[in-house]
Each structure stands twice: as C-alpha cells, then as structure tokens.
Amino acid sequence: MSALYRSAGQQIACKQATLKSMSPQLLGKLYVAAANLQRECDVELQGLTADYKDIMGTLRNYASGGRGLLLAIGLRHIGNDAWEKKQHGEGLGILREARTQMDIAMGQNGGIMFGASASLAARVKLEQETLMKIVEQAEKDNKYAYFATVRPLDQLPEGKVVTAGESKQYEVTTPPFTEIKFE
C-alpha cells in the first residue's frame, strides 16, 4: 500500500505544478511518474491473492483505472506541447495514445468511474472532455492544414517516449549541530 501513498503524494505534486503553470513537459513527466506509482499499487493489490476480492471494489478500480487516467493526462500535456512546437506528427501520435489510455481508464466495467465519488467523477469527465476536444482539433488541423505523418508512440524518436525514473525513499537529514561559544 506504500505505492498508493507515494502515488497520492505525486498527484499532489502534479496539482501544485499545474497551479504554478510549470512547463507542459514537466507536468507530463510528473503525471507519468504518478501513473507508474499507481501501477505499482495495482500490482501490490493483485499480489494479495486471497485477500484481493476482500478489498473494496472502488479501491481496486481506482488503482487500475487511475493509472490509465494519470497516463492519459501526462501524455495529453506532452502531446499538446509537441503539437504547439510544430511537431505535428509526433504530437498527434502522443495525443492518440492519450485517448487510448483514457479509454482504458474508463474500462468496460466502469473502470475508475465504478463507485467513484461525485467529485472524482466530475474531474474524470472534465479531463476526458478536454482530451477529446484537443485530439479532435489536432486531427482536424492535421487533416486539412499540416498533413504530418502520424507515428504511434512506440515509433517516436529517442527521448520522446516518457518513462519515470525509479523513486527513492526520501531521508530526512539534520545538519550537524555546531556549538556556539560566547566570549
């Protein structure tokens, strides 16, 4: 369950970065890192074998669907950034992958929306609508104006594929105490 807490902490960092209007590349990488932590959480939950069915369905759906949602948001930021930098083929390829991840997050059995609170459902719906509008507009622009060749995510040049590094346990250190002498 530690991955769930780390993922929650990473999501807080994502929200703070969004509020501070940080670069879309950074936002995308933060969200992808949160998605990787969410995947770890899902793996931990599934590793409980006998107890897995006893865990609340909403938590299981949040863990599995949350990964797709966070990955979709991260890829949306990265793809939109590439599109705005006139890398239309790469941007549209990444945006299409974001749409695929959003579909996975929604799932056949409700995905992340199954048993979700009203506030979570509203946020997910807003993210889905935003992503769909961006993808539709990019596809329309590419069809009529840019004519860029769209490559799938796995065919992008090195450095465009986003992966998060391994997370390390944060260790609190205290500065050495120095004695103050008064003369």
Side-chain angles (χ1 to χ4, degrees), residues 22 42 53 57 73 87 93 97-98 101 156 170:
M22 298 208 170
D42 191 34
K53 292 184 180 186
I73 295 169
Q87 299 167 340
E97 179 63 24
Q101 291 300 322
L156 290 179
Y170 177 74

Side-chain angles (χ1 to χ4, degrees), residues 73-94:
I73 295 169
L75 291 174
R76 183 194 80 208
H77 285 293
I78 294 167
N80 202 30
D81 184 54
W83 181 267
E84 289 176 358
K85 290 180 179 174
K86 308 291 186 221
Q87 299 167 340
H88 299 109
E90 293 174 0
L92 186 51
I94 294 170

Side-chain angles (χ1 to χ4, degrees), residues 2-156:
S2 65
L4 181 62
Y5 295 119
R6 291 194 326 262
S7 176
Q10 185 71 18
Q11 290 176 53
I12 291 170
C14 293
K15 295 290 182 198
Q16 292 297 318
T18 302
L19 292 173
K20 293 181 180 181
S21 301
M22 298 208 170
S23 77
Q25 275 296 337
L26 176 62
L27 284 172
K29 290 178 182 182
L30 287 171
Y31 274 104
V32 169
N36 288 340
L37 289 170
Q38 199 77 8
R39 185 191 70 233
E40 286 179 30
C41 176
D42 191 34
V43 168
E44 283 180 13
L45 287 174
Q46 290 178 6
L48 297 176
T49 59
D51 298 332
Y52 184 69
K53 292 184 180 186
D54 293 336
I55 296 172
M56 288 176 45
T58 52
L59 178 58
R60 290 195 317 259
N61 288 329
Y62 179 74
S64 61
R67 178 190 183 275
L69 175 67
L70 293 170
L71 191 53
I73 295 169
L75 291 174
R76 183 194 80 208
H77 285 293
I78 294 167
N80 202 30
D81 184 54
W83 181 267
E84 289 176 358
K85 290 180 179 174
K86 308 291 186 221
Q87 299 167 340
H88 299 109
E90 293 174 0
L92 186 51
I94 294 170
L95 288 170
R96 285 180 178 171
E97 179 63 24
R99 181 177 55 194
T100 301
Q101 291 300 322
M102 181 63 78
D103 292 342
I104 291 170
M106 300 309 276
Q108 293 178 354
N109 298 325
I112 192 169
M113 298 294 277
F114 178 75
S117 66
S119 62
L120 176 61
R123 287 193 313 262
V124 170
K125 189 74 172 160
L126 179 66
E127 288 293 343
Q128 184 182 31
E129 290 171 359
T130 302
L131 175 63
M132 294 309 157
K133 285 178 185 175
I134 291 170
V135 173
E136 287 172 9
Q137 187 62 47
E139 285 181 342
K140 182 179 173 184
D141 289 349
N142 194 50
K143 182 177 179 182
Y144 295 112
Y146 300 114
F147 312 106
T149 303
V150 179
R151 292 183 285 179
L153 194 63
D154 60 351
Q155 294 178 5
L156 290 179

